């Protein structure tokens, strides 16, 4: 179940490419998960956010990864 969506938000050079896994069943749990991965054009940074658990502090669900090319 669930689906994968993607879209681009903003205009060059500050666009954000967003991929969303929506309503995907959990590996070892009941229920579903929704997660977004955002790739920022200007910096090359990514941000992941678990949208399934809004009651837990945002800083637990957000993390940044810097890619060096």
């Amino acid at each position: 179940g669930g689906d994968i969506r993607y879209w681009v938000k903003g205009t060059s050079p500050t666009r954000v490419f967003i991929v969303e896994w929506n309503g995907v069943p959990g590996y070892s749990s009941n229920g579903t998960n929704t997660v977004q991965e955002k790739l920022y054009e200007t910096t090359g940074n990514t941000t992941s956010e678990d949208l399934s658990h809004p009651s837990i502090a945002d800083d637990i669900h957000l993390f940044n990864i810097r890619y060096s090319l």
Side-chain angles (χ1 to χ4, degrees):
D3 56 80
I4 299 173
R5 306 176 225 190
Y6 63 92
W7 63 95
V8 176
K9 184 176 179 181
T11 58
S12 182
T14 58
R15 293 176 289 203
V16 180
F17 178 72
I18 303 167
V19 179
E20 180 178 272
W21 291 263
N22 183 38
V24 177
Y27 176 71
S28 63
S29 64
N30 296 329
T32 61
N33 299 293
T34 298
V35 177
Q36 283 186 350
E37 183 78 19
K38 297 178 182 178
L39 173 61
Y40 297 88
E41 177 179 22
T42 303
T43 63
N45 289 343
T46 65
T47 303
S48 296
E49 185 173 1
D50 181 346
L51 303 176
S52 304
H53 304 94
S55 61
I56 300 175
D58 287 342
D59 60 349
I60 293 174
H61 291 286
L62 294 176
F63 58 92
N64 293 311
I65 302 171
R66 174 101 189 212
Y67 290 98
S68 298
L69 301 176

Short mmCIF file of all heavy atoms in Angstrom, two decimals:
data_model
loop_
_atom_site.label_atom_id
_atom_site.label_comp_id
_atom_site.label_asym_id
_atom_site.label_seq_id
_atom_site.Cartn_x
_atom_site.Cartn_y
_atom_site.Cartn_z
N GLY A 1 0.80 -1.18 0.00
CA GLY A 1 0.00 0.00 0.00
C GLY A 1 0.85 1.26 0.00
O GLY A 1 2.06 1.22 0.05
N GLY A 2 0.19 2.35 -0.10
CA GLY A 2 0.84 3.65 -0.10
C GLY A 2 1.27 4.06 -1.50
O GLY A 2 1.07 3.34 -2.47
N ASP A 3 1.84 5.24 -1.59
CA ASP A 3 2.31 5.73 -2.87
C ASP A 3 3.51 6.64 -2.69
O ASP A 3 3.81 7.06 -1.59
CB ASP A 3 1.18 6.45 -3.63
CG ASP A 3 0.59 7.59 -2.83
OD1 ASP A 3 1.19 8.68 -2.79
OD2 ASP A 3 -0.48 7.40 -2.24
N ILE A 4 4.17 6.90 -3.80
CA ILE A 4 5.34 7.79 -3.81
C ILE A 4 5.01 8.95 -4.74
O ILE A 4 4.56 8.74 -5.86
CB ILE A 4 6.60 7.06 -4.30
CG1 ILE A 4 6.92 5.90 -3.37
CG2 ILE A 4 7.78 8.03 -4.38
CD1 ILE A 4 8.05 5.02 -3.86
N ARG A 5 5.22 10.17 -4.23
CA ARG A 5 4.98 11.37 -5.03
C ARG A 5 6.25 12.22 -5.03
O ARG A 5 7.03 12.15 -4.09
CB ARG A 5 3.87 12.22 -4.40
CG ARG A 5 2.59 11.49 -4.16
CD ARG A 5 1.63 12.42 -3.46
NE ARG A 5 1.01 11.71 -2.37
CZ ARG A 5 -0.01 12.16 -1.68
NH1 ARG A 5 -0.51 13.34 -1.95
NH2 ARG A 5 -0.53 11.45 -0.73
N TYR A 6 6.40 13.04 -6.06
CA TYR A 6 7.52 13.98 -6.07
C TYR A 6 7.10 15.25 -6.79
O TYR A 6 6.21 15.24 -7.63
CB TYR A 6 8.76 13.36 -6.73
CG TYR A 6 8.59 13.00 -8.18
CD1 TYR A 6 8.92 13.92 -9.18
CD2 TYR A 6 8.10 11.76 -8.55
CE1 TYR A 6 8.76 13.59 -10.52
CE2 TYR A 6 7.94 11.42 -9.88
CZ TYR A 6 8.28 12.34 -10.86
OH TYR A 6 8.12 12.02 -12.17
N TRP A 7 7.73 16.36 -6.40
CA TRP A 7 7.46 17.64 -7.01
C TRP A 7 8.60 18.60 -6.71
O TRP A 7 9.44 18.33 -5.86
CB TRP A 7 6.12 18.23 -6.56
CG TRP A 7 6.01 18.54 -5.09
CD1 TRP A 7 6.23 19.74 -4.49
CD2 TRP A 7 5.63 17.65 -4.04
NE1 TRP A 7 6.02 19.65 -3.13
CE2 TRP A 7 5.65 18.37 -2.83
CE3 TRP A 7 5.29 16.30 -3.99
CZ2 TRP A 7 5.34 17.81 -1.61
CZ3 TRP A 7 4.97 15.74 -2.77
CH2 TRP A 7 5.00 16.48 -1.59
N VAL A 8 8.62 19.71 -7.44
CA VAL A 8 9.62 20.76 -7.24
C VAL A 8 8.90 22.00 -6.74
O VAL A 8 7.86 22.38 -7.30
CB VAL A 8 10.38 21.08 -8.55
CG1 VAL A 8 11.35 22.23 -8.34
CG2 VAL A 8 11.12 19.84 -9.03
N LYS A 9 9.44 22.60 -5.71
CA LYS A 9 8.86 23.80 -5.12
C LYS A 9 9.85 24.95 -5.29
O LYS A 9 11.05 24.77 -5.09
CB LYS A 9 8.59 23.55 -3.63
CG LYS A 9 7.92 24.67 -2.92
CD LYS A 9 7.62 24.26 -1.48
CE LYS A 9 6.95 25.38 -0.73
NZ LYS A 9 6.68 25.00 0.66
N GLY A 10 9.36 26.14 -5.65
CA GLY A 10 10.22 27.31 -5.77
C GLY A 10 10.72 27.53 -7.18
O GLY A 10 10.31 26.86 -8.13
N THR A 11 11.63 28.50 -7.30
CA THR A 11 12.22 28.85 -8.59
C THR A 11 13.74 28.84 -8.47
O THR A 11 14.30 29.01 -7.39
CB THR A 11 11.75 30.24 -9.06
OG1 THR A 11 12.11 31.21 -8.07
CG2 THR A 11 10.25 30.28 -9.29
N SER A 12 14.40 28.67 -9.62
CA SER A 12 15.86 28.64 -9.64
C SER A 12 16.41 29.98 -9.16
O SER A 12 15.87 31.02 -9.49
CB SER A 12 16.31 28.38 -11.08
OG SER A 12 17.70 28.29 -11.14
N PRO A 13 17.43 29.98 -8.36
CA PRO A 13 18.30 28.88 -7.93
C PRO A 13 17.96 28.34 -6.55
O PRO A 13 18.81 27.73 -5.91
CB PRO A 13 19.67 29.54 -7.93
CG PRO A 13 19.41 30.92 -7.42
CD PRO A 13 18.05 31.28 -8.02
N THR A 14 16.76 28.56 -6.06
CA THR A 14 16.42 28.12 -4.70
C THR A 14 15.31 27.06 -4.70
O THR A 14 14.50 27.01 -3.79
CB THR A 14 16.01 29.32 -3.82
OG1 THR A 14 14.88 29.97 -4.43
CG2 THR A 14 17.15 30.30 -3.65
N ARG A 15 15.31 26.21 -5.71
CA ARG A 15 14.28 25.17 -5.78
C ARG A 15 14.54 24.08 -4.74
O ARG A 15 15.67 23.88 -4.30
CB ARG A 15 14.26 24.54 -7.17
CG ARG A 15 13.79 25.49 -8.25
CD ARG A 15 13.89 24.87 -9.60
NE ARG A 15 15.30 24.74 -9.97
CZ ARG A 15 15.73 24.66 -11.21
NH1 ARG A 15 14.88 24.66 -12.21
NH2 ARG A 15 17.02 24.56 -11.47
N VAL A 16 13.46 23.40 -4.39
CA VAL A 16 13.53 22.26 -3.48
C VAL A 16 12.83 21.10 -4.17
O VAL A 16 11.67 21.21 -4.57
CB VAL A 16 12.85 22.56 -2.13
CG1 VAL A 16 12.94 21.35 -1.20
CG2 VAL A 16 13.44 23.79 -1.48
N PHE A 17 13.55 19.98 -4.35
CA PHE A 17 12.98 18.76 -4.90
C PHE A 17 12.49 17.93 -3.73
O PHE A 17 13.26 17.62 -2.81
CB PHE A 17 14.04 18.00 -5.70
CG PHE A 17 13.55 16.69 -6.25
CD1 PHE A 17 12.64 16.67 -7.30
CD2 PHE A 17 14.01 15.50 -5.74
CE1 PHE A 17 12.19 15.46 -7.82
CE2 PHE A 17 13.57 14.29 -6.25
CZ PHE A 17 12.66 14.27 -7.29
N ILE A 18 11.21 17.57 -3.74
CA ILE A 18 10.59 16.86 -2.62
C ILE A 18 10.10 15.50 -3.09
O ILE A 18 9.41 15.39 -4.11
CB ILE A 18 9.41 17.66 -2.04
CG1 ILE A 18 9.89 19.05 -1.60
CG2 ILE A 18 8.76 16.90 -0.89
CD1 ILE A 18 8.78 20.02 -1.31
N VAL A 19 10.47 14.45 -2.35
CA VAL A 19 9.94 13.10 -2.57
C VAL A 19 9.17 12.73 -1.31
O VAL A 19 9.67 12.90 -0.20
CB VAL A 19 11.07 12.07 -2.81
CG1 VAL A 19 10.48 10.68 -3.00
CG2 VAL A 19 11.91 12.46 -4.00
N GLU A 20 7.96 12.22 -1.49
CA GLU A 20 7.13 11.85 -0.34
C GLU A 20 6.67 10.41 -0.48
O GLU A 20 6.12 10.02 -1.50
CB GLU A 20 5.91 12.77 -0.25
CG GLU A 20 5.00 12.44 0.92
CD GLU A 20 3.84 13.38 1.01
OE1 GLU A 20 3.99 14.42 1.65
OE2 GLU A 20 2.78 13.08 0.41
N TRP A 21 6.93 9.61 0.54
CA TRP A 21 6.41 8.27 0.67
C TRP A 21 5.19 8.41 1.56
O TRP A 21 5.30 8.71 2.75
CB TRP A 21 7.42 7.34 1.31
CG TRP A 21 8.61 7.06 0.43
CD1 TRP A 21 8.78 5.98 -0.37
CD2 TRP A 21 9.79 7.86 0.29
NE1 TRP A 21 10.00 6.05 -1.01
CE2 TRP A 21 10.63 7.21 -0.63
CE3 TRP A 21 10.22 9.08 0.83
CZ2 TRP A 21 11.86 7.71 -1.01
CZ3 TRP A 21 11.44 9.59 0.45
CH2 TRP A 21 12.25 8.91 -0.45
N ASN A 22 3.99 8.20 1.00
CA ASN A 22 2.74 8.51 1.69
C ASN A 22 1.94 7.24 1.99
O ASN A 22 1.63 6.47 1.08
CB ASN A 22 1.90 9.46 0.83
CG ASN A 22 0.63 9.88 1.51
OD1 ASN A 22 0.61 10.11 2.71
ND2 ASN A 22 -0.44 9.99 0.75
N GLY A 23 1.66 7.01 3.28
CA GLY A 23 0.84 5.88 3.66
C GLY A 23 1.50 4.53 3.44
O GLY A 23 0.83 3.53 3.17
N VAL A 24 2.81 4.47 3.59
CA VAL A 24 3.56 3.23 3.37
C VAL A 24 3.52 2.39 4.65
O VAL A 24 3.79 2.89 5.73
CB VAL A 24 5.02 3.55 2.98
CG1 VAL A 24 5.82 2.27 2.81
CG2 VAL A 24 5.05 4.38 1.71
N PRO A 25 3.17 1.11 4.54
CA PRO A 25 3.12 0.26 5.72
C PRO A 25 4.48 0.16 6.41
O PRO A 25 5.51 0.12 5.75
CB PRO A 25 2.72 -1.12 5.17
CG PRO A 25 2.12 -0.85 3.84
CD PRO A 25 2.79 0.40 3.32
N GLY A 26 4.47 0.12 7.75
CA GLY A 26 5.69 -0.02 8.52
C GLY A 26 6.28 -1.41 8.37
O GLY A 26 5.57 -2.38 8.09
N TYR A 27 7.59 -1.52 8.55
CA TYR A 27 8.29 -2.79 8.39
C TYR A 27 7.86 -3.81 9.45
O TYR A 27 7.55 -4.94 9.15
CB TYR A 27 9.80 -2.56 8.45
CG TYR A 27 10.60 -3.83 8.40
CD1 TYR A 27 10.69 -4.58 7.23
CD2 TYR A 27 11.26 -4.30 9.52
CE1 TYR A 27 11.41 -5.76 7.18
CE2 TYR A 27 11.99 -5.47 9.48
CZ TYR A 27 12.06 -6.19 8.31
OH TYR A 27 12.79 -7.35 8.26
N SER A 28 7.87 -3.39 10.71
CA SER A 28 7.55 -4.34 11.78
C SER A 28 6.48 -3.82 12.71
O SER A 28 6.45 -4.15 13.88
CB SER A 28 8.82 -4.66 12.57
OG SER A 28 9.30 -3.48 13.18
N SER A 29 5.58 -2.97 12.18
CA SER A 29 4.54 -2.42 13.04
C SER A 29 3.24 -2.29 12.26
O SER A 29 3.21 -2.37 11.04
CB SER A 29 4.96 -1.05 13.56
OG SER A 29 5.09 -0.14 12.48
N ASN A 30 2.18 -2.11 13.00
CA ASN A 30 0.89 -1.84 12.37
C ASN A 30 0.83 -0.37 11.99
O ASN A 30 1.55 0.45 12.53
CB ASN A 30 -0.24 -2.18 13.32
CG ASN A 30 -0.27 -3.66 13.64
OD1 ASN A 30 0.10 -4.48 12.82
ND2 ASN A 30 -0.70 -3.99 14.84
N GLY A 31 -0.04 -0.02 11.07
CA GLY A 31 -0.17 1.37 10.68
C GLY A 31 0.70 1.71 9.48
O GLY A 31 1.36 0.85 8.90
N THR A 32 0.67 2.98 9.13
CA THR A 32 1.41 3.44 7.96
C THR A 32 2.32 4.61 8.32
O THR A 32 2.20 5.20 9.38
CB THR A 32 0.45 3.88 6.84
OG1 THR A 32 -0.35 4.96 7.33
CG2 THR A 32 -0.44 2.74 6.38
N ASN A 33 3.22 4.93 7.40
CA ASN A 33 4.17 6.02 7.61
C ASN A 33 4.15 6.95 6.40
O ASN A 33 3.97 6.52 5.27
CB ASN A 33 5.58 5.46 7.76
CG ASN A 33 5.70 4.53 8.94
OD1 ASN A 33 5.60 4.96 10.07
ND2 ASN A 33 5.89 3.26 8.68
N THR A 34 4.37 8.24 6.69
CA THR A 34 4.53 9.23 5.63
C THR A 34 5.82 10.00 5.91
O THR A 34 5.99 10.54 7.00
CB THR A 34 3.33 10.20 5.58
OG1 THR A 34 2.16 9.43 5.28
CG2 THR A 34 3.52 11.26 4.51
N VAL A 35 6.72 9.99 4.93
CA VAL A 35 8.03 10.61 5.09
C VAL A 35 8.32 11.48 3.87
O VAL A 35 7.98 11.12 2.75
CB VAL A 35 9.13 9.53 5.22
CG1 VAL A 35 10.51 10.15 5.30
CG2 VAL A 35 8.86 8.63 6.41
N GLN A 36 8.93 12.64 4.11
CA GLN A 36 9.38 13.51 3.01
C GLN A 36 10.88 13.65 3.05
O GLN A 36 11.47 13.82 4.12
CB GLN A 36 8.77 14.91 3.12
CG GLN A 36 7.35 15.00 2.68
CD GLN A 36 6.85 16.44 2.65
OE1 GLN A 36 7.51 17.36 3.15
NE2 GLN A 36 5.68 16.62 2.09
N GLU A 37 11.49 13.61 1.88
CA GLU A 37 12.91 13.89 1.71
C GLU A 37 13.00 15.13 0.82
O GLU A 37 12.39 15.17 -0.25
CB GLU A 37 13.61 12.71 1.05
CG GLU A 37 15.10 12.88 0.89
CD GLU A 37 15.86 12.65 2.18
OE1 GLU A 37 15.33 12.03 3.11
OE2 GLU A 37 17.01 13.09 2.25
N LYS A 38 13.71 16.16 1.27
CA LYS A 38 13.83 17.40 0.51
C LYS A 38 15.29 17.63 0.14
O LYS A 38 16.17 17.55 1.00
CB LYS A 38 13.32 18.59 1.33
CG LYS A 38 11.85 18.47 1.67
CD LYS A 38 11.39 19.63 2.53
CE LYS A 38 9.93 19.47 2.90
NZ LYS A 38 9.46 20.56 3.77
N LEU A 39 15.54 17.92 -1.14
CA LEU A 39 16.88 18.22 -1.64
C LEU A 39 16.90 19.68 -2.07
O LEU A 39 16.12 20.09 -2.94
CB LEU A 39 17.24 17.32 -2.81
CG LEU A 39 18.55 17.62 -3.54
CD1 LEU A 39 19.75 17.50 -2.59
CD2 LEU A 39 18.71 16.71 -4.74
N TYR A 40 17.79 20.47 -1.45
CA TYR A 40 17.87 21.91 -1.69
C TYR A 40 18.91 22.20 -2.77
O TYR A 40 20.07 21.83 -2.63
CB TYR A 40 18.21 22.63 -0.39
CG TYR A 40 17.14 22.44 0.66
CD1 TYR A 40 17.16 21.34 1.51
CD2 TYR A 40 16.10 23.35 0.77
CE1 TYR A 40 16.16 21.16 2.46
CE2 TYR A 40 15.09 23.16 1.71
CZ TYR A 40 15.14 22.08 2.55
OH TYR A 40 14.15 21.88 3.47
N GLU A 41 18.46 22.87 -3.84
CA GLU A 41 19.31 23.11 -5.01
C GLU A 41 20.56 23.92 -4.68
O GLU A 41 21.66 23.57 -5.10
CB GLU A 41 18.48 23.85 -6.06
CG GLU A 41 19.24 24.23 -7.30
CD GLU A 41 18.39 24.93 -8.34
OE1 GLU A 41 17.34 25.49 -7.99
OE2 GLU A 41 18.79 24.90 -9.50
N THR A 42 20.43 25.00 -3.95
CA THR A 42 21.55 25.91 -3.72
C THR A 42 22.65 25.30 -2.86
O THR A 42 23.83 25.44 -3.16
CB THR A 42 21.05 27.21 -3.06
OG1 THR A 42 20.06 27.78 -3.92
CG2 THR A 42 22.16 28.21 -2.88
N THR A 43 22.26 24.57 -1.81
CA THR A 43 23.26 24.05 -0.87
C THR A 43 23.60 22.58 -1.09
O THR A 43 24.64 22.12 -0.63
CB THR A 43 22.74 24.18 0.57
OG1 THR A 43 21.56 23.37 0.72
CG2 THR A 43 22.45 25.63 0.92
N GLY A 44 22.72 21.83 -1.74
CA GLY A 44 22.93 20.39 -1.87
C GLY A 44 22.57 19.63 -0.62
O GLY A 44 22.74 18.42 -0.56
N ASN A 45 22.06 20.32 0.40
CA ASN A 45 21.65 19.65 1.63
C ASN A 45 20.34 18.91 1.43
O ASN A 45 19.55 19.27 0.56
CB ASN A 45 21.47 20.67 2.77
CG ASN A 45 22.77 21.24 3.25
OD1 ASN A 45 23.84 20.71 2.99
ND2 ASN A 45 22.70 22.35 3.96
N THR A 46 20.12 17.90 2.25
CA THR A 46 18.83 17.22 2.28
C THR A 46 18.26 17.28 3.69
O THR A 46 19.01 17.36 4.67
CB THR A 46 18.93 15.75 1.85
OG1 THR A 46 19.73 15.04 2.80
CG2 THR A 46 19.51 15.61 0.46
N THR A 47 16.95 17.22 3.76
CA THR A 47 16.25 17.16 5.04
C THR A 47 15.22 16.06 4.95
O THR A 47 14.49 15.98 3.97
CB THR A 47 15.54 18.49 5.36
OG1 THR A 47 16.49 19.53 5.36
CG2 THR A 47 14.87 18.45 6.71
N SER A 48 15.17 15.20 5.95
CA SER A 48 14.15 14.15 6.02
C SER A 48 13.21 14.47 7.16
O SER A 48 13.64 14.90 8.22
CB SER A 48 14.79 12.79 6.28
OG SER A 48 15.60 12.44 5.19
N GLU A 49 11.91 14.25 6.92
CA GLU A 49 10.93 14.53 7.96
C GLU A 49 9.89 13.41 7.99
O GLU A 49 9.31 13.06 6.96
CB GLU A 49 10.25 15.87 7.69
CG GLU A 49 9.29 16.28 8.78
CD GLU A 49 8.76 17.68 8.59
OE1 GLU A 49 9.10 18.34 7.61
OE2 GLU A 49 7.98 18.10 9.45
N ASP A 50 9.69 12.88 9.17
CA ASP A 50 8.67 11.85 9.38
C ASP A 50 7.37 12.57 9.72
O ASP A 50 7.22 13.12 10.81
CB ASP A 50 9.10 10.94 10.53
CG ASP A 50 8.12 9.82 10.81
OD1 ASP A 50 6.97 9.89 10.33
OD2 ASP A 50 8.49 8.89 11.53
N LEU A 51 6.43 12.60 8.79
CA LEU A 51 5.16 13.30 8.99
C LEU A 51 4.13 12.45 9.72
O LEU A 51 3.05 12.93 10.04
CB LEU A 51 4.59 13.74 7.63
CG LEU A 51 5.52 14.63 6.79
CD1 LEU A 51 4.89 14.91 5.44
CD2 LEU A 51 5.84 15.92 7.51
N SER A 52 4.47 11.20 10.00
CA SER A 52 3.54 10.27 10.64
C SER A 52 3.41 10.48 12.14
O SER A 52 2.47 10.02 12.75
CB SER A 52 3.99 8.83 10.40
OG SER A 52 4.10 8.58 9.03
N HIS A 53 4.39 11.16 12.73
CA HIS A 53 4.43 11.30 14.19
C HIS A 53 4.59 12.77 14.60
O HIS A 53 5.60 13.14 15.19
CB HIS A 53 5.58 10.46 14.76
CG HIS A 53 5.48 9.03 14.37
ND1 HIS A 53 6.14 8.52 13.27
CD2 HIS A 53 4.79 8.00 14.91
CE1 HIS A 53 5.85 7.24 13.17
NE2 HIS A 53 5.05 6.90 14.14
N PRO A 54 3.59 13.61 14.33
CA PRO A 54 3.72 15.04 14.64
C PRO A 54 3.74 15.35 16.12
O PRO A 54 4.17 16.43 16.51
CB PRO A 54 2.49 15.65 13.97
CG PRO A 54 1.50 14.54 13.90
CD PRO A 54 2.32 13.29 13.72
N SER A 55 3.34 14.42 16.97
CA SER A 55 3.30 14.71 18.40
C SER A 55 4.68 14.64 19.05
O SER A 55 4.88 15.13 20.15
CB SER A 55 2.37 13.73 19.11
OG SER A 55 2.83 12.42 18.94
N ILE A 56 5.65 14.05 18.36
CA ILE A 56 7.01 13.98 18.90
C ILE A 56 7.78 15.20 18.42
O ILE A 56 7.60 15.66 17.30
CB ILE A 56 7.71 12.68 18.45
CG1 ILE A 56 6.91 11.48 18.96
CG2 ILE A 56 9.14 12.61 18.93
CD1 ILE A 56 7.42 10.15 18.47
N ALA A 57 8.66 15.71 19.25
CA ALA A 57 9.40 16.94 18.93
C ALA A 57 10.04 16.87 17.55
O ALA A 57 10.62 15.86 17.17
CB ALA A 57 10.48 17.19 19.98
N ASP A 58 9.94 17.96 16.79
CA ASP A 58 10.46 18.01 15.43
C ASP A 58 11.95 17.68 15.35
O ASP A 58 12.40 17.08 14.39
CB ASP A 58 10.24 19.40 14.81
CG ASP A 58 8.79 19.63 14.46
OD1 ASP A 58 8.03 18.65 14.37
OD2 ASP A 58 8.43 20.79 14.27
N ASP A 59 12.72 18.07 16.36
CA ASP A 59 14.16 17.84 16.26
C ASP A 59 14.52 16.36 16.32
O ASP A 59 15.61 15.97 15.94
CB ASP A 59 14.93 18.62 17.32
CG ASP A 59 14.54 18.27 18.74
OD1 ASP A 59 13.53 17.58 18.92
OD2 ASP A 59 15.24 18.72 19.66
N ILE A 60 13.62 15.51 16.76
CA ILE A 60 13.88 14.07 16.76
C ILE A 60 13.71 13.52 15.35
O ILE A 60 14.41 12.61 14.94
CB ILE A 60 12.92 13.35 17.73
CG1 ILE A 60 13.25 13.76 19.16
CG2 ILE A 60 13.01 11.84 17.57
CD1 ILE A 60 12.29 13.22 20.18
N HIS A 61 12.81 14.10 14.57
CA HIS A 61 12.48 13.57 13.25
C HIS A 61 13.23 14.24 12.11
O HIS A 61 13.16 13.79 10.98
CB HIS A 61 10.98 13.68 13.01
CG HIS A 61 10.22 12.75 13.87
ND1 HIS A 61 10.18 11.40 13.66
CD2 HIS A 61 9.50 12.97 14.98
CE1 HIS A 61 9.46 10.84 14.59
NE2 HIS A 61 9.03 11.76 15.39
N LEU A 62 13.91 15.33 12.38
CA LEU A 62 14.61 16.03 11.31
C LEU A 62 16.10 15.78 11.41
O LEU A 62 16.68 15.79 12.48
CB LEU A 62 14.37 17.54 11.41
CG LEU A 62 12.95 18.01 11.17
CD1 LEU A 62 12.87 19.51 11.40
CD2 LEU A 62 12.50 17.68 9.77
N PHE A 63 16.72 15.52 10.31
CA PHE A 63 18.16 15.42 10.29
C PHE A 63 18.66 15.88 8.93
O PHE A 63 17.96 15.79 7.93
CB PHE A 63 18.66 14.01 10.63
CG PHE A 63 18.15 12.93 9.72
CD1 PHE A 63 18.87 12.56 8.60
CD2 PHE A 63 16.95 12.31 10.00
CE1 PHE A 63 18.39 11.56 7.78
CE2 PHE A 63 16.48 11.31 9.17
CZ PHE A 63 17.20 10.94 8.06
N ASN A 64 19.84 16.43 8.91
CA ASN A 64 20.41 16.98 7.68
C ASN A 64 21.63 16.16 7.27
O ASN A 64 22.40 15.73 8.11
CB ASN A 64 20.84 18.43 7.87
CG ASN A 64 19.66 19.34 8.09
OD1 ASN A 64 18.71 19.30 7.34
ND2 ASN A 64 19.72 20.15 9.12
N ILE A 65 21.78 15.97 5.99
CA ILE A 65 22.94 15.29 5.43
C ILE A 65 23.52 16.19 4.37
O ILE A 65 22.84 16.64 3.47
CB ILE A 65 22.55 13.94 4.82
CG1 ILE A 65 21.88 13.05 5.86
CG2 ILE A 65 23.78 13.27 4.21
CD1 ILE A 65 21.29 11.79 5.29
N ARG A 66 24.79 16.49 4.45
CA ARG A 66 25.45 17.32 3.46
C ARG A 66 26.21 16.43 2.51
O ARG A 66 27.01 15.61 2.93
CB ARG A 66 26.41 18.29 4.16
CG ARG A 66 27.25 19.10 3.23
CD ARG A 66 26.70 20.46 3.10
NE ARG A 66 27.42 21.14 2.05
CZ ARG A 66 27.64 22.42 2.05
NH1 ARG A 66 27.20 23.15 3.02
NH2 ARG A 66 28.25 22.98 1.06
N TYR A 67 25.94 16.58 1.23
CA TYR A 67 26.62 15.78 0.22
C TYR A 67 27.74 16.60 -0.41
O TYR A 67 27.54 17.74 -0.75
CB TYR A 67 25.64 15.37 -0.89
CG TYR A 67 24.63 14.35 -0.43
CD1 TYR A 67 23.36 14.73 -0.06
CD2 TYR A 67 24.97 13.01 -0.37
CE1 TYR A 67 22.43 13.79 0.35
CE2 TYR A 67 24.06 12.06 0.04
CZ TYR A 67 22.79 12.47 0.39
OH TYR A 67 21.88 11.54 0.81
N SER A 68 28.88 16.02 -0.55
CA SER A 68 30.00 16.66 -1.23
C SER A 68 30.17 16.00 -2.59
O SER A 68 30.29 14.78 -2.67
CB SER A 68 31.28 16.50 -0.44
OG SER A 68 31.16 17.13 0.81
N LEU A 69 30.18 16.79 -3.63
CA LEU A 69 30.34 16.25 -4.97
C LEU A 69 31.72 16.52 -5.49
O LEU A 69 32.36 17.44 -5.20
CB LEU A 69 29.30 16.85 -5.92
CG LEU A 69 27.85 16.60 -5.50
CD1 LEU A 69 26.92 17.33 -6.47
CD2 LEU A 69 27.56 15.11 -5.54
#
